[in-house]
Amino acid sequence: MKNFLLAFSAILLISTCHSQGLLQGKEKFTHQDTLRGSITPEREWWDLTYYHLDIEIKPELKFISGKNTIYYKVVSEPNEFMQIDLQQPMEITKAIQDGKELEVQIEGNANFILIPTKQNIGDIKSIEIHYNGYPREAKRAPWDGGFSWKKDQNGKHFIATSCQGLGASVWWPNKDHMYDEVDSMLISVTNPKGLTNVSNGRLRKLVKNNNNTVTSHWFVSNPINNYGVNVNIGDYVNFSEVFKGEKGDLDMNYYVLKENLEIARDHFKDAPKMMKAFEHWFGPYPFYEDSFKLVEVPYLGMEHQSSVTYGNQYKQGYLGRDLSGTGWGLKFDFIIIHEAGHEWFANNITNKDIADMWIHEGFTSYSENLFLDYYYGKEASADYVIGTRANIQNDKPLIGTYNVNNEGSSDMYYKGANMLHTLRQLIEDDEKWRQMLRGLNSEFYHQTVTTKQIEDYLSEHSGIDLTEFFNQYLRTIKIPTLEYEIKKGELKYRWTDIVEGFDMPIQVDIDGKSEWLFPKAKWQTKNIKSDSFNIDRDFYVNSNKI
Ligand SMILES: [Zn+2]
């Protein structure tokens, strides 16, 4: 999810760019961006193993307080400081290790905790970070996130968090960098009685307190990225079903506002359909141990791990609209399909640096057309992904700037999807392609990765050197252009607008027959009987007839 409305309305374009400006429109980066976006010396010496986030939420005051106990393993010679991120105006009130309060030096959103005792490589340690404050209120969740403090139609609190890009440190203290994930996590949330909190993983315990509050303890037994952690509080009812999946029984649970129970029972039939299609293409759902949940929220939606949030108003498409303009986009609820697709690409395979976020959004946007492929066939899915090309801006490369928490272009969605659709044509074997998509999910199971790792995997398993292919589509805004001329029974052709060495073969129709051309930067010629020449629409390229 994110930055997604960019192409669809001028008004939204302006407001989205405003929020994007914080993250990706920048030419210059600050020291704070480096502290946030790089693996600093104060981060690299310790590896996260476990968080216990334990907080109380007071909706009337819009105030939160509590602590995060961070467990970690010392993996290299310790720095004298440990960096913990928490964005202002939230405040760390104290940091405690081995019963002693430690000194905290604050530098903007980074907190440097002085570690007074010698720690040895291999040690497992914990530190308690106590904090409180009035967290940033989401201005336009999920793009400009934080806490959404809303009410349902009965006047009851309806609260949710969203923080992709902005970072989880907007509401809780953590090591706010994508490269390092905890192995498991406990989320304990205290809220007023009469409201239900749904977080990630499984509800381990629900405790009624004496002061008109309840505490829910949610346990996540798999690695989870920080922005995936969420709190959703409302007057929820729930229903569930068991999905017979590749790894056995998977319980799928749905939490919705009371008034939407009936419509949700019908509308959420897309969820098991999604699971079936995506297990086919990508392999087993990566979080059986934590169940799958869809949770209604007062904003559009987000890929929160094992508790995907939903706010698409029970409509088909994207709030009732078809992003491809072909009609196929109205065959499914965009938020259910897209956000759940992220369970494989974003939550299972996670980028180490958000400059590589195309790994999340490119593959997940591509998953929309694989869903269509599964139920409506190859032509329908091709129509859809090709239709989404109208949304591509070619403003900036898909890969952003490394080490400063910077995303690439919003083209990571549909240019990313069309790049993968093009790659499928090059593989020319759908079963092999499917095994590669499944292979990515087992090779990089529960890992954080770089673009290079994904490129190498795809090159190796396709048997094609894709170096220039990825250089072209990920690192430039140039669309390869097939330039050609037909004269006196001869076809002359070459690639232009390409990176050095780009020589992607392409399928064309010549004289009514489909065949491969192998264009290079230099002109080549071929005999042709008539002037009937067409380029296969599945390739995301331009053409120029001279
Ligand atoms: Zn997404």
Side-chain angles (χ1 to χ4, degrees), residues 140-349:
R140 214 171 55 79
W143 301 279
D144 198 353
F147 259 78
S148 298
W149 305 98
K150 304 286 183 188
K151 297 266 175 81
D152 68 14
Q153 64 181 38
N154 302 314
K156 294 208 168 183
H157 288 290
F158 190 23
I159 301 162
T161 58
S162 58
C163 54
Q164 188 189 28
L166 179 65
S169 55
V170 73
W171 65 278
W172 57 285
N174 58 70
K175 185 190 215 177
D176 209 358
H177 194 287
M178 300 297 295
Y179 88 100
D180 196 3
E181 295 184 353
V182 283
D183 305 324
S184 58
M185 179 168 182
L186 180 63
I187 306 159
S188 303
V189 177
T190 300
N191 56 260
K193 198 171 82 174
L195 295 167
T196 299
N197 171 55
V198 184
S199 288
N200 315 73
R202 289 182 185 278
L203 182 64
R204 183 182 264 182
K205 203 165 50 167
L206 186 64
V207 180
K208 287 180 185 160
N209 306 313
N210 295 328
N211 59 351
N212 283 324
T213 62
V214 291
T215 305
S216 54
H217 300 274
W218 290 85
F219 183 68
V220 184
S221 65
N222 285 304
I224 183 166
N225 58 47
N226 294 324
Y227 83 84
V229 174
N230 73 156
V231 158
N232 305 290
I233 298 172
D235 186 18
Y236 287 124
V237 290
N238 76 87
F239 59 100
S240 62
E241 63 185 305
V242 175
F243 176 81
K244 302 277 180 198
E246 289 195 9
K247 271 175 74 176
D249 287 354
L250 170 65
D251 46 330
M252 299 181 68
N253 303 301
Y254 310 102
Y255 290 83
V256 298
L257 293 180
K258 259 182 198 149
E259 60 259 34
N260 293 326
L261 181 59
E262 283 320 304
I263 188 171
R265 276 186 193 281
D266 185 52
H267 192 80
F268 284 0
K269 285 177 183 157
D270 264 5
K273 275 180 75 178
M274 168 281 296
M275 198 57 79
K276 197 163 181 216
F278 287 171
E279 285 209 328
H280 171 80
W281 282 107
F282 301 144
Y285 169 68
F287 308 104
Y288 270 69
E289 304 78 7
D290 291 325
S291 82
F292 175 86
K293 296 173 288 302
L294 260 186
V295 186
E296 185 172 356
V297 287
Y299 63 88
L300 188 59
M302 181 53 69
E303 64 254 28
H304 297 121
Q305 184 174 308
S306 81
S307 57
V308 170
T309 49
Y310 177 84
N312 200 34
Q313 301 173 10
Y314 302 97
K315 288 177 177 162
Q316 295 295 80
Y318 184 95
L319 291 169
R321 283 176 295 146
D322 174 10
L323 299 178
S324 74
T326 62
W328 291 112
L330 295 176
K331 295 289 185 190
F332 57 93
D333 180 310
F334 176 88
I335 291 297
I336 296 177
I337 304 309
H338 178 96
E339 303 308 337
H342 278 305
E343 294 282 24
W344 286 264
F345 293 96
N347 297 338
N348 187 35
I349 303 176

Side-chain angles (χ1 to χ4, degrees), residues 1-2 303 338-339 342 361 364 413:
M1 191 72 213
K2 204 166 165 65
E303 64 254 28
H338 178 96
E339 303 308 337
H342 278 305
E361 300 301 348
T364 300
Y413 292 84

Side-chain angles (χ1 to χ4, degrees), residues 1-20:
M1 191 72 213
K2 204 166 165 65
N3 295 339
F4 181 78
L5 290 164
L6 202 61
F8 306 106
S9 121
I11 298 163
L12 288 166
L13 182 70
I14 293 159
S15 52
T16 306
C17 279
H18 175 73
S19 72
Q20 261 187 328

